Amino acid sequence: MGVVTVTEDISSPIPAARLFKALILDADNLMPKIAPQAIKNIETIEGDGGPGSIKQMNFAEGSHFKYVKHKIDALDKEKLTYAYTLIEGDALMDKLESISYEVKLEPSPNGGCIGKNISTYHTKPGVEIKEEEIKAGKAQASGIFKAVEAYLIANPDTYV
């Protein structure tokens, strides 16, 4: 099994705690609301939503993918960190065993925050993942981040 790790930082004008509430803590409700063309729903299929829980994201009709399942590895509301592993679904493209993500939101001096994301791709034996595939995954993650950010800018009284 090969391992490829990618690190990305994204700046946001939204304060870290507010963005964490929307992007992480209420994602199950918010994502289908702000991106119904992409996400049908997110449901907890095992656990209470904390570490060890398994969630399934079902994609909207016409999407490239049908669903993904992820396991929550860690959630720290005080440190604004979240870790989860994509363990099942067609987004793994029969090439990956799993993808692990670590997200940390850190306050920035301008009142916003920096989102730090570490993605670790665990490939199946003999499979090499292409840079274009990693870029596509990064673009999707960045798109979700920016969609939540835009929602929070348009709705300043939410998640405060």
Side-chain angles (χ1 to χ4, degrees):
M1 172 171 51
V3 176
V4 177
T5 301
V6 178
T7 303
E8 182 177 32
D9 291 351
I10 303 174
S11 302
S12 174
I14 306 296
R18 183 171 178 232
L19 187 58
F20 192 81
K21 283 180 194 174
L23 185 66
I24 306 299
L25 299 180
D26 198 39
D28 298 5
N29 297 313
L30 185 61
M31 295 300 172
K33 179 178 174 180
I34 64 172
Q37 73 286 358
I39 301 169
K40 181 178 177 182
N41 64 14
I42 302 170
E43 54 191 333
T44 301
I45 56 174
E46 186 176 306
D48 61 4
S53 296
I54 296 176
K55 294 190 176 194
Q56 179 168 316
M57 178 185 293
N58 297 301
F59 295 101
E61 292 293 319
S63 176
H64 289 95
F65 305 122
K66 291 182 181 170
Y67 79 97
V68 292
K69 284 185 184 175
H70 67 269
K71 181 178 181 184
I72 299 172
D73 301 315
L75 175 64
D76 190 323
K77 297 174 188 177
E78 283 75 43
K79 293 182 182 176
L80 305 179
T81 60
Y82 181 61
Y84 65 99
T85 302
L86 199 66
I87 56 171
E88 184 182 313
D90 41 9
L92 295 173
M93 306 173 290
D94 291 327
K95 296 180 178 188
L96 300 165
E97 295 284 347
S98 63
I99 307 170
S100 298
Y101 299 94
E102 294 176 43
V103 178
K104 181 176 177 107
L105 299 181
E106 298 178 341
S108 57
N110 67 358
C113 68
I114 307 267
K116 297 182 177 288
N117 185 33
I118 301 170
S119 305
T120 305
Y121 298 80
H122 303 270
T123 62
K124 290 184 175 182
V127 172
E128 189 174 319
I129 191 160
K130 294 182 172 74
E131 191 172 332
E132 302 86 49
E133 293 168 321
I134 291 174
K135 283 182 181 176
K138 281 174 60 174
Q140 283 182 323
S142 181
I144 290 169
F145 186 92
K146 290 301 180 183
V148 171
E149 179 183 88
Y151 176 82
L152 293 174
I153 289 169
N155 297 278
D157 296 329
T158 59
Y159 301 101
V160 289

